[in-house]
Amino acid sequence: GYLSPLKSKFTKHQIDTSDVHKRGGEFIEKELQLAVNTDKNNAMAVAEMLRFGIERNAWLVFCTGIDHAESIADLLNAIGISTKVITGKTPKTERDIMIHEFKTGKIRCLSSVNVVSIGFDAPNVDMLVMLHPRARADRAGSADAVQFRPTPAGAAGAQEDPAHSEQSHQGGVRGAQLHARLDVCRQE
């Protein structure tokens, strides 16, 4: 397929990763999950998802860890957005069922931890939410290719990135107070 062009919009909420240490140029996962997976951050992230995605049909949310993915799923399910958590620990049969239900619209959102990214084929996805800040720009965009390509229906896609990872390496924020980003995909 072809990748679709993106138009960025910034979300209101910021995530502070200034106290999260790095190893090998990337955030230490355990510290990152503790910094990101807070009641305030999660509530604000869900509010932003609703703000930008209420009319969208299939959401992929990338979280910092299992606890974070479960917290986000609990909040979304509580407000009527059907969400399942999918991780590397999810048994293959259960994972296959979840993916099928997601692709057919029975589940609106998958809250993921390093599972449905590169190579995941779901043309119905129209919102990608990056709740997993990246310290390195070369690691920030790999999940984007999952979603931003034309679909038969010509649907637009959106992306939120609370890390705003790419700008943090282009002379911008430098990892302290990181902005969210919403990218809107338009089919030409």
Side-chain angles (χ1 to χ4, degrees):
Y2 298 93
L3 296 179
S4 297
L6 304 176
K7 294 182 180 178
S8 295
K9 295 181 181 179
F10 292 95
T11 57
K12 293 179 182 178
H13 184 61
Q14 299 177 357
I15 294 176
D16 184 356
T17 58
S18 60
D19 292 332
V20 179
H21 295 94
K22 297 176 187 172
R23 183 179 304 127
E26 191 54 80
F27 293 124
I28 295 172
E29 293 292 323
K30 190 172 186 175
E31 290 183 26
L32 182 64
Q33 184 170 200
L34 290 172
V36 173
N37 187 26
T38 67
D39 291 344
K40 178 183 176 186
N41 285 339
N42 293 343
M44 295 298 289
V46 167
E48 291 291 325
M49 284 184 242
L50 289 174
R51 180 175 157 221
F52 292 117
I54 196 66
E55 294 182 12
R56 299 190 179 279
N57 300 310
W59 308 357
L60 285 179
V61 181
F62 293 92
C63 297
T64 60
I66 294 172
D67 291 343
H68 187 216
E70 289 173 347
S71 295
I72 293 296
D74 288 346
L75 288 172
L76 288 170
N77 282 315
I79 58 172
I81 306 293
S82 58
T83 305
K84 296 278 181 140
V85 174
I86 187 167
T87 73
K89 294 184 178 184
T90 306
K92 183 175 177 1
T93 304
E94 187 178 334
R95 187 183 318 168
D96 290 344
I97 291 168
M98 273 190 243
I99 290 170
H100 175 75
E101 290 177 342
F102 177 71
K103 287 181 176 183
T104 60
K106 185 174 180 184
I107 297 171
R108 186 171 182 184
C109 178
L110 287 178
S111 185
S112 173
V113 182
N114 299 323
V115 175
V116 289
S117 56
I118 297 171
F120 182 65
D121 185 23
N124 63 316
V125 173
D126 57 359
M127 189 164 80
L128 182 70
V129 181
M130 302 298 292
L131 297 180
H132 190 288
R134 297 290 187 181
R136 291 175 35 194
D138 63 331
R139 303 281 304 266
S142 63
D144 296 3
V146 167
Q147 182 223 342
F148 296 121
R149 59 197 178 344
T151 63
Q159 176 183 359
E160 286 188 65
D161 179 1
H164 192 54
S165 305
E166 292 148 17
Q167 183 169 343
S168 68
H169 288 279
Q170 296 173 356
V173 181
R174 297 187 52 113
Q177 296 250 325
L178 302 174
H179 295 270
R181 182 183 82 220
L182 174 78
D183 290 331
V184 178
C185 164
R186 297 277 182 228
Q187 309 267 332
E188 301 298 331

PDB file of all heavy atoms in Angstrom, residues 148-184:
ATOM      1  N   PHE A 148      -1.072   4.399   8.750  1.00  0.00           N
ATOM      2  CA  PHE A 148      -1.263   5.504   7.828  1.00  0.00           C
ATOM      3  C   PHE A 148      -1.034   5.119   6.384  1.00  0.00           C
ATOM      4  O   PHE A 148      -0.023   5.406   5.790  1.00  0.00           O
ATOM      5  CB  PHE A 148      -0.405   6.689   8.244  1.00  0.00           C
ATOM      6  CG  PHE A 148      -0.843   7.215   9.571  1.00  0.00           C
ATOM      7  CD1 PHE A 148       0.024   7.262  10.629  1.00  0.00           C
ATOM      8  CD2 PHE A 148      -2.153   7.616   9.764  1.00  0.00           C
ATOM      9  CE1 PHE A 148      -0.405   7.726  11.863  1.00  0.00           C
ATOM     10  CE2 PHE A 148      -2.583   8.087  10.983  1.00  0.00           C
ATOM     11  CZ  PHE A 148      -1.702   8.141  12.038  1.00  0.00           C
ATOM     12  N   ARG A 149      -2.023   4.459   5.839  1.00  0.00           N
ATOM     13  CA  ARG A 149      -2.025   4.109   4.435  1.00  0.00           C
ATOM     14  C   ARG A 149      -3.452   4.171   3.943  1.00  0.00           C
ATOM     15  O   ARG A 149      -4.386   4.061   4.729  1.00  0.00           O
ATOM     16  CB  ARG A 149      -1.425   2.744   4.206  1.00  0.00           C
ATOM     17  CG  ARG A 149      -2.133   1.634   4.941  1.00  0.00           C
ATOM     18  CD  ARG A 149      -1.234   0.447   4.966  1.00  0.00           C
ATOM     19  NE  ARG A 149      -1.610  -0.748   5.626  1.00  0.00           N
ATOM     20  CZ  ARG A 149      -2.549  -0.985   6.501  1.00  0.00           C
ATOM     21  NH1 ARG A 149      -3.363  -0.057   6.857  1.00  0.00           N
ATOM     22  NH2 ARG A 149      -2.749  -2.152   7.022  1.00  0.00           N
ATOM     23  N   PRO A 150      -3.646   4.364   2.638  1.00  0.00           N
ATOM     24  CA  PRO A 150      -5.007   4.464   2.119  1.00  0.00           C
ATOM     25  C   PRO A 150      -5.808   3.196   2.377  1.00  0.00           C
ATOM     26  O   PRO A 150      -5.265   2.100   2.402  1.00  0.00           O
ATOM     27  CB  PRO A 150      -4.797   4.666   0.618  1.00  0.00           C
ATOM     28  CG  PRO A 150      -3.441   5.263   0.509  1.00  0.00           C
ATOM     29  CD  PRO A 150      -2.640   4.623   1.622  1.00  0.00           C
ATOM     30  N   THR A 151      -7.099   3.368   2.584  1.00  0.00           N
ATOM     31  CA  THR A 151      -8.007   2.246   2.741  1.00  0.00           C
ATOM     32  C   THR A 151      -9.042   2.337   1.632  1.00  0.00           C
ATOM     33  O   THR A 151      -9.239   3.390   1.041  1.00  0.00           O
ATOM     34  CB  THR A 151      -8.730   2.312   4.105  1.00  0.00           C
ATOM     35  OG1 THR A 151      -9.516   3.489   4.135  1.00  0.00           O
ATOM     36  CG2 THR A 151      -7.749   2.305   5.250  1.00  0.00           C
ATOM     37  N   PRO A 152      -9.705   1.220   1.338  1.00  0.00           N
ATOM     38  CA  PRO A 152     -10.714   1.264   0.282  1.00  0.00           C
ATOM     39  C   PRO A 152     -11.774   2.333   0.520  1.00  0.00           C
ATOM     40  O   PRO A 152     -12.261   2.953  -0.399  1.00  0.00           O
ATOM     41  CB  PRO A 152     -11.315  -0.140   0.322  1.00  0.00           C
ATOM     42  CG  PRO A 152     -10.256  -0.994   0.926  1.00  0.00           C
ATOM     43  CD  PRO A 152      -9.519  -0.104   1.892  1.00  0.00           C
ATOM     44  N   ALA A 153     -12.123   2.560   1.768  1.00  0.00           N
ATOM     45  CA  ALA A 153     -13.146   3.561   2.085  1.00  0.00           C
ATOM     46  C   ALA A 153     -12.588   4.977   2.081  1.00  0.00           C
ATOM     47  O   ALA A 153     -13.324   5.940   2.181  1.00  0.00           O
ATOM     48  CB  ALA A 153     -13.760   3.250   3.452  1.00  0.00           C
ATOM     49  N   GLY A 154     -11.248   5.095   2.011  1.00  0.00           N
ATOM     50  CA  GLY A 154     -10.632   6.422   2.008  1.00  0.00           C
ATOM     51  C   GLY A 154     -10.719   7.113   3.355  1.00  0.00           C
ATOM     52  O   GLY A 154     -10.739   8.327   3.433  1.00  0.00           O
ATOM     53  N   ALA A 155     -10.766   6.346   4.426  1.00  0.00           N
ATOM     54  CA  ALA A 155     -10.922   6.921   5.758  1.00  0.00           C
ATOM     55  C   ALA A 155      -9.692   7.711   6.166  1.00  0.00           C
ATOM     56  O   ALA A 155      -8.585   7.412   5.758  1.00  0.00           O
ATOM     57  CB  ALA A 155     -11.156   5.795   6.770  1.00  0.00           C
ATOM     58  N   ALA A 156      -9.909   8.712   6.976  1.00  0.00           N
ATOM     59  CA  ALA A 156      -8.803   9.493   7.521  1.00  0.00           C
ATOM     60  C   ALA A 156      -8.344   8.847   8.815  1.00  0.00           C
ATOM     61  O   ALA A 156      -9.126   8.244   9.529  1.00  0.00           O
ATOM     62  CB  ALA A 156      -9.265  10.921   7.778  1.00  0.00           C
ATOM     63  N   GLY A 157      -7.068   8.969   9.111  1.00  0.00           N
ATOM     64  CA  GLY A 157      -6.517   8.432  10.347  1.00  0.00           C
ATOM     65  C   GLY A 157      -6.026   9.559  11.225  1.00  0.00           C
ATOM     66  O   GLY A 157      -5.753  10.648  10.755  1.00  0.00           O
ATOM     67  N   ALA A 158      -5.898   9.282  12.516  1.00  0.00           N
ATOM     68  CA  ALA A 158      -5.382  10.291  13.442  1.00  0.00           C
ATOM     69  C   ALA A 158      -4.386   9.640  14.357  1.00  0.00           C
ATOM     70  O   ALA A 158      -4.469   8.452  14.639  1.00  0.00           O
ATOM     71  CB  ALA A 158      -6.532  10.884  14.265  1.00  0.00           C
ATOM     72  N   GLN A 159      -3.425  10.424  14.833  1.00  0.00           N
ATOM     73  CA  GLN A 159      -2.418   9.905  15.748  1.00  0.00           C
ATOM     74  C   GLN A 159      -2.179  10.887  16.866  1.00  0.00           C
ATOM     75  O   GLN A 159      -2.042  12.078  16.642  1.00  0.00           O
ATOM     76  CB  GLN A 159      -1.102   9.659  15.016  1.00  0.00           C
ATOM     77  CG  GLN A 159      -0.007   9.204  15.961  1.00  0.00           C
ATOM     78  CD  GLN A 159       1.315   9.020  15.254  1.00  0.00           C
ATOM     79  OE1 GLN A 159       1.427   9.214  14.069  1.00  0.00           O
ATOM     80  NE2 GLN A 159       2.300   8.635  16.003  1.00  0.00           N
ATOM     81  N   GLU A 160      -2.097  10.376  18.095  1.00  0.00           N
ATOM     82  CA  GLU A 160      -1.707  11.168  19.252  1.00  0.00           C
ATOM     83  C   GLU A 160      -0.386  10.627  19.757  1.00  0.00           C
ATOM     84  O   GLU A 160      -0.189   9.423  19.809  1.00  0.00           O
ATOM     85  CB  GLU A 160      -2.729  11.023  20.385  1.00  0.00           C
ATOM     86  CG  GLU A 160      -4.015  11.749  20.167  1.00  0.00           C
ATOM     87  CD  GLU A 160      -4.858  11.689  21.412  1.00  0.00           C
ATOM     88  OE1 GLU A 160      -4.451  12.260  22.438  1.00  0.00           O
ATOM     89  OE2 GLU A 160      -5.909  11.069  21.347  1.00  0.00           O
ATOM     90  N   ASP A 161       0.529  11.509  20.147  1.00  0.00           N
ATOM     91  CA  ASP A 161       1.829  11.107  20.665  1.00  0.00           C
ATOM     92  C   ASP A 161       2.185  12.015  21.834  1.00  0.00           C
ATOM     93  O   ASP A 161       2.696  13.104  21.642  1.00  0.00           O
ATOM     94  CB  ASP A 161       2.874  11.213  19.553  1.00  0.00           C
ATOM     95  CG  ASP A 161       4.281  10.847  20.001  1.00  0.00           C
ATOM     96  OD1 ASP A 161       4.466  10.483  21.181  1.00  0.00           O
ATOM     97  OD2 ASP A 161       5.196  10.937  19.176  1.00  0.00           O
ATOM     98  N   PRO A 162       1.898  11.568  23.081  1.00  0.00           N
ATOM     99  CA  PRO A 162       2.162  12.427  24.227  1.00  0.00           C
ATOM    100  C   PRO A 162       3.639  12.709  24.423  1.00  0.00           C
ATOM    101  O   PRO A 162       4.002  13.652  25.099  1.00  0.00           O
ATOM    102  CB  PRO A 162       1.589  11.655  25.409  1.00  0.00           C
ATOM    103  CG  PRO A 162       1.513  10.269  24.951  1.00  0.00           C
ATOM    104  CD  PRO A 162       1.328  10.297  23.460  1.00  0.00           C
ATOM    105  N   ALA A 163       4.495  11.921  23.830  1.00  0.00           N
ATOM    106  CA  ALA A 163       5.925  12.162  23.952  1.00  0.00           C
ATOM    107  C   ALA A 163       6.378  13.247  22.998  1.00  0.00           C
ATOM    108  O   ALA A 163       7.380  13.894  23.219  1.00  0.00           O
ATOM    109  CB  ALA A 163       6.703  10.889  23.640  1.00  0.00           C
ATOM    110  N   HIS A 164       5.623  13.425  21.921  1.00  0.00           N
ATOM    111  CA  HIS A 164       6.053  14.297  20.836  1.00  0.00           C
ATOM    112  C   HIS A 164       7.534  14.032  20.589  1.00  0.00           C
ATOM    113  O   HIS A 164       8.370  14.910  20.490  1.00  0.00           O
ATOM    114  CB  HIS A 164       5.780  15.759  21.144  1.00  0.00           C
ATOM    115  CG  HIS A 164       5.951  16.634  19.946  1.00  0.00           C
ATOM    116  ND1 HIS A 164       5.297  16.404  18.756  1.00  0.00           N
ATOM    117  CD2 HIS A 164       6.733  17.703  19.737  1.00  0.00           C
ATOM    118  CE1 HIS A 164       5.666  17.301  17.886  1.00  0.00           C
ATOM    119  NE2 HIS A 164       6.540  18.106  18.451  1.00  0.00           N
ATOM    120  N   SER A 165       7.862  12.751  20.499  1.00  0.00           N
ATOM    121  CA  SER A 165       9.229  12.260  20.476  1.00  0.00           C
ATOM    122  C   SER A 165      10.081  12.872  19.395  1.00  0.00           C
ATOM    123  O   SER A 165      11.236  13.197  19.632  1.00  0.00           O
ATOM    124  CB  SER A 165       9.201  10.741  20.300  1.00  0.00           C
ATOM    125  OG  SER A 165       8.412  10.154  21.285  1.00  0.00           O
ATOM    126  N   GLU A 166       9.544  13.004  18.198  1.00  0.00           N
ATOM    127  CA  GLU A 166      10.367  13.480  17.103  1.00  0.00           C
ATOM    128  C   GLU A 166      10.841  14.909  17.338  1.00  0.00           C
ATOM    129  O   GLU A 166      11.995  15.220  17.105  1.00  0.00           O
ATOM    130  CB  GLU A 166       9.611  13.362  15.781  1.00  0.00           C
ATOM    131  CG  GLU A 166       9.407  11.907  15.426  1.00  0.00           C
ATOM    132  CD  GLU A 166       8.125  11.658  14.662  1.00  0.00           C
ATOM    133  OE1 GLU A 166       7.544  12.614  14.132  1.00  0.00           O
ATOM    134  OE2 GLU A 166       7.716  10.500  14.606  1.00  0.00           O
ATOM    135  N   GLN A 167       9.963  15.795  17.811  1.00  0.00           N
ATOM    136  CA  GLN A 167      10.374  17.172  18.027  1.00  0.00           C
ATOM    137  C   GLN A 167      11.406  17.260  19.141  1.00  0.00           C
ATOM    138  O   GLN A 167      12.272  18.122  19.113  1.00  0.00           O
ATOM    139  CB  GLN A 167       9.190  18.071  18.361  1.00  0.00           C
ATOM    140  CG  GLN A 167       9.642  19.523  18.520  1.00  0.00           C
ATOM    141  CD  GLN A 167       8.493  20.477  18.582  1.00  0.00           C
ATOM    142  OE1 GLN A 167       7.377  20.154  18.219  1.00  0.00           O
ATOM    143  NE2 GLN A 167       8.761  21.671  19.045  1.00  0.00           N
ATOM    144  N   SER A 168      11.364  16.347  20.108  1.00  0.00           N
ATOM    145  CA  SER A 168      12.318  16.418  21.207  1.00  0.00           C
ATOM    146  C   SER A 168      13.742  16.214  20.710  1.00  0.00           C
ATOM    147  O   SER A 168      14.687  16.525  21.408  1.00  0.00           O
ATOM    148  CB  SER A 168      11.976  15.390  22.286  1.00  0.00           C
ATOM    149  OG  SER A 168      12.189  14.083  21.823  1.00  0.00           O
ATOM    150  N   HIS A 169      13.896  15.717  19.491  1.00  0.00           N
ATOM    151  CA  HIS A 169      15.224  15.524  18.930  1.00  0.00           C
ATOM    152  C   HIS A 169      15.507  16.506  17.805  1.00  0.00           C
ATOM    153  O   HIS A 169      16.507  16.385  17.134  1.00  0.00           O
ATOM    154  CB  HIS A 169      15.381  14.094  18.416  1.00  0.00           C
ATOM    155  CG  HIS A 169      15.480  13.120  19.543  1.00  0.00           C
ATOM    156  ND1 HIS A 169      16.648  12.905  20.215  1.00  0.00           N
ATOM    157  CD2 HIS A 169      14.541  12.362  20.143  1.00  0.00           C
ATOM    158  CE1 HIS A 169      16.446  12.018  21.174  1.00  0.00           C
ATOM    159  NE2 HIS A 169      15.181  11.683  21.154  1.00  0.00           N
ATOM    160  N   GLN A 170      14.635  17.459  17.599  1.00  0.00           N
ATOM    161  CA  GLN A 170      14.848  18.435  16.542  1.00  0.00           C
ATOM    162  C   GLN A 170      14.957  19.826  17.148  1.00  0.00           C
ATOM    163  O   GLN A 170      14.451  20.798  16.615  1.00  0.00           O
ATOM    164  CB  GLN A 170      13.696  18.364  15.526  1.00  0.00           C
ATOM    165  CG  GLN A 170      13.652  17.039  14.812  1.00  0.00           C
ATOM    166  CD  GLN A 170      12.417  16.910  13.951  1.00  0.00           C
ATOM    167  OE1 GLN A 170      11.550  17.766  13.923  1.00  0.00           O
ATOM    168  NE2 GLN A 170      12.330  15.814  13.230  1.00  0.00           N
ATOM    169  N   GLY A 171      15.605  19.913  18.300  1.00  0.00           N
ATOM    170  CA  GLY A 171      15.820  21.212  18.921  1.00  0.00           C
ATOM    171  C   GLY A 171      14.628  21.713  19.700  1.00  0.00           C
ATOM    172  O   GLY A 171      14.621  22.847  20.142  1.00  0.00           O
ATOM    173  N   GLY A 172      13.630  20.873  19.903  1.00  0.00           N
ATOM    174  CA  GLY A 172      12.413  21.293  20.573  1.00  0.00           C
ATOM    175  C   GLY A 172      12.478  21.076  22.070  1.00  0.00           C
ATOM    176  O   GLY A 172      13.299  21.639  22.767  1.00  0.00           O
ATOM    177  N   VAL A 173      11.639  20.201  22.557  1.00  0.00           N
ATOM    178  CA  VAL A 173      11.374  20.074  23.974  1.00  0.00           C
ATOM    179  C   VAL A 173      12.501  19.423  24.768  1.00  0.00           C
ATOM    180  O   VAL A 173      12.674  19.684  25.933  1.00  0.00           O
ATOM    181  CB  VAL A 173      10.055  19.285  24.157  1.00  0.00           C
ATOM    182  CG1 VAL A 173       9.704  19.132  25.603  1.00  0.00           C
ATOM    183  CG2 VAL A 173       8.933  19.989  23.433  1.00  0.00           C
ATOM    184  N   ARG A 174      13.280  18.560  24.187  1.00  0.00           N
ATOM    185  CA  ARG A 174      14.421  17.876  24.794  1.00  0.00           C
ATOM    186  C   ARG A 174      14.041  16.977  25.960  1.00  0.00           C
ATOM    187  O   ARG A 174      14.834  16.771  26.869  1.00  0.00           O
ATOM    188  CB  ARG A 174      15.489  18.874  25.208  1.00  0.00           C
ATOM    189  CG  ARG A 174      16.075  19.630  24.039  1.00  0.00           C
ATOM    190  CD  ARG A 174      17.220  20.466  24.479  1.00  0.00           C
ATOM    191  NE  ARG A 174      18.172  19.663  25.213  1.00  0.00           N
ATOM    192  CZ  ARG A 174      19.383  19.380  24.803  1.00  0.00           C
ATOM    193  NH1 ARG A 174      19.796  19.812  23.664  1.00  0.00           N
ATOM    194  NH2 ARG A 174      20.185  18.658  25.559  1.00  0.00           N
ATOM    195  N   GLY A 175      12.846  16.412  25.962  1.00  0.00           N
ATOM    196  CA  GLY A 175      12.510  15.355  26.895  1.00  0.00           C
ATOM    197  C   GLY A 175      11.948  15.760  28.236  1.00  0.00           C
ATOM    198  O   GLY A 175      11.645  14.899  29.026  1.00  0.00           O
ATOM    199  N   ALA A 176      11.812  17.027  28.567  1.00  0.00           N
ATOM    200  CA  ALA A 176      11.298  17.391  29.881  1.00  0.00           C
ATOM    201  C   ALA A 176       9.776  17.381  29.866  1.00  0.00           C
ATOM    202  O   ALA A 176       9.159  16.420  30.282  1.00  0.00           O
ATOM    203  CB  ALA A 176      11.823  18.741  30.301  1.00  0.00           C
ATOM    204  N   GLN A 177       9.170  18.427  29.384  1.00  0.00           N
ATOM    205  CA  GLN A 177       7.716  18.465  29.275  1.00  0.00           C
ATOM    206  C   GLN A 177       7.387  18.151  27.824  1.00  0.00           C
ATOM    207  O   GLN A 177       7.655  18.946  26.943  1.00  0.00           O
ATOM    208  CB  GLN A 177       7.210  19.849  29.642  1.00  0.00           C
ATOM    209  CG  GLN A 177       7.490  20.202  31.073  1.00  0.00           C
ATOM    210  CD  GLN A 177       6.233  20.243  31.879  1.00  0.00           C
ATOM    211  OE1 GLN A 177       5.192  20.631  31.395  1.00  0.00           O
ATOM    212  NE2 GLN A 177       6.315  19.832  33.117  1.00  0.00           N
ATOM    213  N   LEU A 178       6.838  16.975  27.595  1.00  0.00           N
ATOM    214  CA  LEU A 178       6.627  16.511  26.230  1.00  0.00           C
ATOM    215  C   LEU A 178       5.169  16.630  25.841  1.00  0.00           C
ATOM    216  O   LEU A 178       4.288  16.254  26.583  1.00  0.00           O
ATOM    217  CB  LEU A 178       7.101  15.058  26.110  1.00  0.00           C
ATOM    218  CG  LEU A 178       8.571  14.876  26.483  1.00  0.00           C
ATOM    219  CD1 LEU A 178       8.920  13.405  26.484  1.00  0.00           C
ATOM    220  CD2 LEU A 178       9.464  15.630  25.537  1.00  0.00           C
ATOM    221  N   HIS A 179       4.924  17.173  24.664  1.00  0.00           N
ATOM    222  CA  HIS A 179       3.576  17.427  24.186  1.00  0.00           C
ATOM    223  C   HIS A 179       3.000  16.225  23.460  1.00  0.00           C
ATOM    224  O   HIS A 179       3.722  15.441  22.860  1.00  0.00           O
ATOM    225  CB  HIS A 179       3.570  18.614  23.217  1.00  0.00           C
ATOM    226  CG  HIS A 179       3.951  19.884  23.860  1.00  0.00           C
ATOM    227  ND1 HIS A 179       3.038  20.718  24.441  1.00  0.00           N
ATOM    228  CD2 HIS A 179       5.153  20.457  24.044  1.00  0.00           C
ATOM    229  CE1 HIS A 179       3.656  21.759  24.944  1.00  0.00           C
ATOM    230  NE2 HIS A 179       4.945  21.639  24.717  1.00  0.00           N
ATOM    231  N   ALA A 180       1.713  16.130  23.458  1.00  0.00           N
ATOM    232  CA  ALA A 180       1.024  15.136  22.652  1.00  0.00           C
ATOM    233  C   ALA A 180       0.880  15.678  21.234  1.00  0.00           C
ATOM    234  O   ALA A 180       0.968  16.880  21.008  1.00  0.00           O
ATOM    235  CB  ALA A 180      -0.342  14.829  23.239  1.00  0.00           C
ATOM    236  N   ARG A 181       0.659  14.795  20.316  1.00  0.00           N
ATOM    237  CA  ARG A 181       0.508  15.186  18.922  1.00  0.00           C
ATOM    238  C   ARG A 181      -0.631  14.395  18.324  1.00  0.00           C
ATOM    239  O   ARG A 181      -0.772  13.213  18.578  1.00  0.00           O
ATOM    240  CB  ARG A 181       1.797  14.871  18.170  1.00  0.00           C
ATOM    241  CG  ARG A 181       1.768  15.281  16.713  1.00  0.00           C
ATOM    242  CD  ARG A 181       3.048  14.868  16.017  1.00  0.00           C
ATOM    243  NE  ARG A 181       2.971  13.480  15.639  1.00  0.00           N
ATOM    244  CZ  ARG A 181       3.968  12.623  15.732  1.00  0.00           C
ATOM    245  NH1 ARG A 181       5.112  12.986  16.209  1.00  0.00           N
ATOM    246  NH2 ARG A 181       3.811  11.384  15.355  1.00  0.00           N
ATOM    247  N   LEU A 182      -1.425  15.056  17.547  1.00  0.00           N
ATOM    248  CA  LEU A 182      -2.473  14.391  16.812  1.00  0.00           C
ATOM    249  C   LEU A 182      -2.175  14.598  15.340  1.00  0.00           C
ATOM    250  O   LEU A 182      -2.080  15.724  14.885  1.00  0.00           O
ATOM    251  CB  LEU A 182      -3.842  14.978  17.125  1.00  0.00           C
ATOM    252  CG  LEU A 182      -4.955  14.403  16.266  1.00  0.00           C
ATOM    253  CD1 LEU A 182      -5.354  13.036  16.789  1.00  0.00           C
ATOM    254  CD2 LEU A 182      -6.132  15.333  16.229  1.00  0.00           C
ATOM    255  N   ASP A 183      -1.976  13.525  14.623  1.00  0.00           N
ATOM    256  CA  ASP A 183      -1.740  13.624  13.191  1.00  0.00           C
ATOM    257  C   ASP A 183      -2.990  13.153  12.464  1.00  0.00           C
ATOM    258  O   ASP A 183      -3.521  12.092  12.762  1.00  0.00           O
ATOM    259  CB  ASP A 183      -0.559  12.745  12.764  1.00  0.00           C
ATOM    260  CG  ASP A 183       0.757  13.285  13.277  1.00  0.00           C
ATOM    261  OD1 ASP A 183       0.858  14.510  13.457  1.00  0.00           O
ATOM    262  OD2 ASP A 183       1.676  12.482  13.509  1.00  0.00           O
ATOM    263  N   VAL A 184      -3.451  13.958  11.530  1.00  0.00           N
ATOM    264  CA  VAL A 184      -4.625  13.612  10.764  1.00  0.00           C
ATOM    265  C   VAL A 184      -4.182  13.191   9.385  1.00  0.00           C
ATOM    266  O   VAL A 184      -3.430  13.875   8.703  1.00  0.00           O
ATOM    267  CB  VAL A 184      -5.593  14.815  10.666  1.00  0.00           C
ATOM    268  CG1 VAL A 184      -6.799  14.450   9.821  1.00  0.00           C
ATOM    269  CG2 VAL A 184      -6.032  15.228  12.061  1.00  0.00           C
TER     270      VAL A 184
END
